[in-house]
Amino acid sequence: MTTKLDVINSMISTTGVAKLASSDYNHPEYRRAEGVLDDVLEEFCGMPMWFNVSDVVLKRAEDGTITVPSDALNVDPVFGTGDTRNVVVRGRKLWDMDAWSDQMSSDIKCRILWNVELTDMPAVAYQFVRAAARLQYFIDVDGDQVKLQMYGQVFQQKRIELDTKILSNRDENFFASRSAQSFFTRRYPSGPAGNYNGIGGYLPVR
């Protein structure tokens, strides 16, 4: 089973640092790599994909409230035609904006974007995260142009593989969406060192 340490070792090895046998929070490169990986994961997990979105009926508790699951990143109530209730998430509860109350009259179906742990991701998603984190770490630490091009090409290939998997599971192309454009433009804008068409380049904005 792949782990977070496997990804971090893959990241630090790009600059010649010896791989670590275990998580070492006192090691400066471990901390640096973990920070980069956490940033990549935070943005990647916010992408709605075939493996992290599902429709779930959230149950009303005896006190009339509905609690949002702790591993839900986004919750959108789904109402039928004619149901005009305006329900949002406030804290960890559903909140009726019209009644200005957390009291719900019934269970509510919601479309939930789940936070999927790195080790629970499908292989193609894990490989994409690893390639993105490795590229970002290398840019931050070294930036040698030959290696940069190599890691950039690997990243692009993993993006294509992920895109293909998304297309096989959904009717829309996520990478043509505004969310994807925002993600790649923010982290990998075009730059003089390269031009990877389709992902907007690879130089990060810090």
Side-chain angles (χ1 to χ4, degrees):
M1 181 183 71
T2 53
T3 66
K4 186 174 183 178
L5 179 62
D6 293 329
V7 178
I8 288 177
N9 274 329
S10 177
M11 294 165 68
I12 65 177
S13 67
T14 63
T15 57
V17 177
K19 293 184 177 181
L20 303 172
S22 61
S23 299
D24 184 357
Y25 300 101
N26 294 319
H27 194 294
E29 291 310 313
Y30 181 94
R31 294 198 304 271
R32 187 202 298 264
E34 185 179 44
V36 171
L37 178 58
D38 288 345
D39 285 347
V40 171
L41 281 171
E42 181 180 1
E43 296 188 33
F44 181 74
C45 288
M47 296 180 178
M49 286 175 279
W50 78 97
F51 65 89
N52 64 352
V53 175
S54 62
D55 290 346
V56 177
V57 175
L58 298 183
K59 299 295 185 179
R60 176 179 177 270
E62 291 184 1
D63 64 359
T65 65
I66 295 180
T67 300
V68 174
S70 60
D71 53 348
L73 295 176
N74 189 67
V75 177
D76 290 319
V78 180
F79 297 119
T81 303
D83 191 332
T84 60
R85 282 180 293 174
N86 183 13
V87 176
V88 299
V89 176
R90 178 165 292 188
R92 302 308 302 178
K93 303 283 187 181
L94 292 187
W95 181 267
D96 189 325
M97 294 292 289
D98 296 326
W100 204 249
S101 171
D102 63 1
Q103 296 298 299
M104 302 294 152
S105 59
S106 63
D107 301 339
I108 295 181
K109 181 180 179 180
C110 295
R111 181 153 296 158
I112 298 179
L113 173 66
W114 300 99
N115 181 36
V116 178
E117 294 294 332
L118 179 65
T119 53
D120 293 331
M121 289 181 183
V124 65
Y126 169 86
Q127 291 165 7
F128 173 84
V129 168
R130 181 177 59 191
R134 184 168 53 200
L135 175 62
Q136 184 62 55
Y137 174 84
F138 183 76
I139 291 171
D140 286 354
V141 177
D142 192 316
D144 173 84
Q145 292 302 300
V146 175
K147 286 186 176 181
L148 191 57
Q149 184 176 13
M150 178 184 69
Y151 291 127
Q153 289 171 345
V154 172
F155 169 76
Q156 185 181 24
Q157 178 60 39
K158 294 306 176 183
R159 194 225 84 173
I160 292 171
E161 292 174 6
L162 180 64
D163 195 10
T164 301
K165 185 65 174 180
I166 290 172
L167 287 171
S168 71
N169 284 276
R170 300 178 64 178
D171 294 331
E172 63 184 272
N173 182 351
F174 174 80
F175 288 95
S177 70
R178 289 184 179 180
S179 296
Q181 291 170 11
S182 174
F183 174 78
F184 288 114
T185 300
R186 184 166 58 251
R187 185 160 288 278
Y188 307 104
S190 298
N195 180 25
Y196 293 122
N197 294 327
I199 62 173
Y202 56 78
L203 290 180
V205 174
R206 283 297 195 182

